[in-house]
Amino acid sequence: MTVGSVLVTGGTGYIGSFTALALLEADYKVVIVDNLYNSSAEVLNRIELICGKRPEYYQCDITDEKKLDEVFAAHSDIDNVIHFAALKAVGESGEKPLDYYHVNVYGTLCLLRSMKKHHVTNIVFSSSATVYGDATRFPNMIPIPEECPLGPTNPYGNTKFCVETMITDHINAERYNAQKAGKSEEEFNGALLRYFNPAGSHPSGIMGEDPQGVPYNLLPLLAQVAVGKREKLLVFGDDYNSKDGTAIRDYIHILDLARGHLIALNHLRDHHPGVRAWNLGTGKGSTVYDMVNAFSTAVGRDLKYEVAPRRQGDVLDLTANPTRANKELGWKAEFTLEDACADLWRWTENNPQGYRQDPPKEFLEK
Ligand code: NAD
Ligand code: WQD
């Protein structure tokens, strides 16, 4: 017995795959579309190993509206979308902004049009804390509440801001049109989930982050240092105004983040809020050195690092104020930084080739 059907774009990626797992565990039917640009279909096997259910999967580019139409037509029971598919490398977005606008903005346009044609009315969108830009430019905006004025500082962030606006305009128009036609406006809803820094892996050790290219995020880079793929971590700046001079971020365990999507979707279905933004973060800031120490503890030895100049575009502090999500969604991050580091290390040790290898033997024997 399913409770609903969800199309998950980008569902073989890092956050999408964990959300697909959370949805299946909550008895949703899951249909994934992903073009595997930054992921592997092996994750479908891992999801099935963990929960005994397998999402349906279509290799599909979200900029291919016709193909999206076919997927919706083949699954007329889909009544919700969770939209992860995107390009997400901040640095690269400065080099190839048009690629980012094409996939992130035009791809979302195709998705929304296709949803409209098939009368799919709820969308949960992967936004990002990056839409806030540098919140330290305002007084009293750290930790960052949703009311903080938006001001992204790179093309990737601009695409997220643009898509937030597009979804807001679309849902508001659909509500207005429904009202005018004497129909219920309640069915049209959108959640803009602004996440902070996702971290960690599945505690089983068989599901985790496996980007196709060179990682650029702190924890995957630290993991590479731990397995000897990288000699040392470069700490980008130790002259920030923080307790140890390194920059502060809000690292949220991937299981908490995935659960946040499930809860946000249920909230749209049960409470019909229209369009609403929620921060998904822990509310606790950690410095780069906090992370080096926490991950070194998980690994059981010191990891080599060296201080380098600040990275262009980095800001001092991106810590969430998660009160709105705590109160309105009843969602709260439960896992600790130590959990995230221990789980990431288990995944890294168990799967040196990521998803390009079979799952660890003991799992296949179960
Ligand atoms: P990811 O790269 O692991 O997942 C994105 C997925 O989208 C990949 O599987 C990729 O193959 C797919 N994809 C890319 N282009 C596509 C296209 N044209 N058509 C279909 N599929 C396509 O990234 P993630 O970390 O899981 O991020 C998921 C979402 O969350 C993204 O929208 C990202 O911008 C957002 N986000 C990520 C972070 C983060 O730090 N990881 C933080 C905030 C927001
Ligand atoms: C974290 C901290 C670095 C690498 C990015 C995107 C953001 C969101 C999450 C998608 C920073 C420091 C890093 C290294 C370091 N993604 N660092 N040495 O930049 O906070 O956020 O991912 O929406 O939009 O910008 O994450 O993991 O790159 O960096 O010292 O080799 O680690 O300076 O303080 P960031 P990150």
Side-chain angles (χ1 to χ4, degrees), residues 326-339:
N326 299 163
K327 285 192 176 150
E328 295 180 2
L329 301 178
W331 170 91
K332 200 172 188 302
E334 286 168 3
F335 292 97
T336 63
L337 201 58
E338 288 68 33
D339 297 327

Side-chain angles (χ1 to χ4, degrees), residues 128-138 142 144 148-154 157 196 249 313-319:
S128 166
T130 202
V131 295
Y132 295 116
D134 185 3
T136 57
R137 70 196 192 282
F138 303 108
I142 301 284
I144 309 173
C148 179
L150 304 186
T153 55
N154 53 66
F196 286 66
R249 297 289 181 271
D314 272 354
V315 300
L316 161 66
D317 194 339
L318 272 175
T319 302

Side-chain angles (χ1 to χ4, degrees), residues 232-297:
K232 62 192 168 207
L233 177 84
L234 293 180
V235 173
F236 295 142
D238 67 349
D239 56 351
Y240 286 99
N241 185 19
S242 69
K243 65 176 183 187
D244 58 25
T246 64
I248 304 164
R249 297 289 181 271
D250 185 334
Y251 296 89
I252 171 171
H253 196 292
I254 188 70
L255 292 183
D256 282 325
L257 189 56
R259 191 170 46 83
H261 288 76
L262 173 67
I263 291 176
L265 178 65
N266 288 338
H267 184 84
L268 296 190
R269 288 160 56 100
D270 295 341
H271 299 282
H272 322 289
V275 183
R276 189 88 172 132
W278 288 285
N279 285 339
L280 295 184
T282 66
K284 182 176 173 285
S286 305
T287 65
V288 177
Y289 283 153
D290 287 335
M291 299 307 288
V292 172
N293 291 336
F295 196 63
S296 299
T297 303

Side-chain angles (χ1 to χ4, degrees), residues 8 30 45 63 171 216 231:
V8 181
V30 175
N45 297 329
T63 61
I171 296 292
Y216 64 90
E231 193 210 335

Side-chain angles (χ1 to χ4, degrees), residues 10-87:
T12 49
Y14 177 40
I15 310 171
S17 59
F18 279 84
T19 302
L21 174 64
L23 290 165
L24 288 169
E25 287 174 337
D27 290 327
Y28 276 97
K29 175 184 150 184
V30 175
V31 179
I32 289 175
V33 292
D34 198 302
N35 67 356
L36 303 184
Y37 174 79
N38 194 34
S39 53
S40 157
E42 168 62 20
V43 74
L44 303 168
N45 297 329
R46 308 294 177 101
I47 291 173
E48 192 175 4
L49 274 173
I50 292 172
C51 75
K53 296 183 212 168
R54 193 179 179 85
E56 295 217 27
Y57 169 67
Y58 292 87
Q59 185 154 357
C60 166
D61 195 300
I62 55 160
T63 61
D64 185 346
E65 190 174 329
K66 202 162 151 273
K67 187 81 195 269
L68 287 174
D69 286 342
E70 286 167 17
V71 175
F72 280 119
H75 298 276
S76 55
D77 54 341
I78 291 175
D79 42 13
N80 315 278
V81 169
I82 305 187
H83 177 33
F84 295 98
L87 303 182

Side-chain angles (χ1 to χ4, degrees), residues 218-232:
L218 178 61
L219 274 176
L221 286 167
L222 267 172
Q224 287 204 338
V225 176
V227 294
K229 279 192 191 161
R230 195 170 283 268
E231 193 210 335
K232 62 192 168 207

